[in-house]
Amino acid sequence: NEMRDYRWFQVSSFKFQVMRYLITFSYLGTNYHGWQIQPNGNTVQEELNKALSTLCREEISTTGAGRTDTGVHARMMTAHFDVNVPIGDGGQFVYRINKLLPKDSAVFSIKEVYDDFSARFSASERTYRYYITKEKDPFTLDTVAYINFDLDVELMNKAASILFEYEDFTSFSKVNTDTKTNNCTITHAEWKKEGNLLVFTISANRFLRNMVRAIVGTLIDVGRKKITIGDFRKIIESKDRCKASTSAPACGLFLEDIKY
């Protein structure tokens, strides 16, 4: 009934206990080229790997729960990593890694998990929220999408409810991705007014690259009455990204929650 499962291997007559940890954190994506490491451009994963490697005194490579695009934020993101030396006081570890990380990212917690746990594949549900405002605010320019036109929220919610009827969301995915399937199960999709904000919340077992922003952009066109609810259905059934609308700006999108 141990919460950990050790894997043993022999290196130069020494035995190491390889342990896996799940780390939970958040970041403001404005200054990053997304989550995943890439040759050119600063990424969240690169910064996290560097901080963990420094603190653990060994090369650490994290596996995230998913990807976020350039400029997209995460109120909650998770990643797992393997380490040879046990992490002691979790609270002290969190404090020390936050001292190493840039000011626009923060670790909340770290816990030991089974060695076959995957931050990506063990997740059962992910939730994103998209924030829109009609009132320009210099303090939220990087976290809320600013628009200057009226939207019919009731129409947008009627269109959003159609998403539950489908599984193939090729029309809302970037082309030429490495995914084997474009099928997703959406469990929640709703627009709500929260003060001076209009917020779209969507949950699913998985999301395709650029999927949420493409859905939001197309639903906005429904709300502007540029396309009908019938058009929205046809766009899904076409399985053609060119039929959907332009993706909504990255600044308004947050990865909000991940469930295991």
Side-chain angles (χ1 to χ4, degrees), residues 12 57 59 65 74 76-77 80 85 90 95 118 121 132-133 157 160 169 174 180-181 185 198 203 212-213 241 258:
S12 302
R57 298 183 180 180
E59 194 69 26
M76 176 189 177
M77 178 62 151
H80 77 255
V85 179
Y95 173 78
S118 170
F121 296 111
I132 292 174
T133 184
N157 271 326
F169 294 102
K174 277 189 175 180
K180 294 180 180 179
T181 173
T185 302
L198 180 59
S203 301
V212 179
R213 290 170 58 202
R241 178 63 184 91
I258 302 168

Side-chain angles (χ1 to χ4, degrees), residues 23-29 65-69 72-78 106 108 123 125-132 142-145 188 190 192 194 197-204 207 212 216 250-260:
I23 192 166
T24 304
F25 53 101
S26 66
Y27 54 86
L28 185 69
R67 299 173 178 175
T68 54
D69 293 333
V72 174
H73 320 292
R75 224 178 290 274
M76 176 189 177
M77 178 62 151
T78 57
F108 298 140
E125 184 181 80
R126 297 162 173 85
T127 297
Y128 281 88
R129 299 188 89 195
Y130 195 90
Y131 297 83
I132 292 174
D142 292 331
T143 56
V144 178
H188 184 85
E190 184 180 20
K192 280 187 178 181
E194 298 183 5
L197 298 177
L198 180 59
V199 184
F200 179 62
T201 304
I202 184 167
S203 301
F207 287 94
V212 179
V216 170
C251 64
L253 184 60
F254 284 76
L255 175 56
E256 288 278 341
D257 191 25
I258 302 168
K259 296 188 185 302
Y260 291 97

Side-chain angles (χ1 to χ4, degrees), residues 26-44:
S26 66
Y27 54 86
L28 185 69
T30 306
N31 296 320
Y32 295 102
H33 288 75
W35 154 258
Q36 191 171 24
I37 288 177
Q38 49 187 281
N40 301 307
N42 189 31
T43 66
V44 180

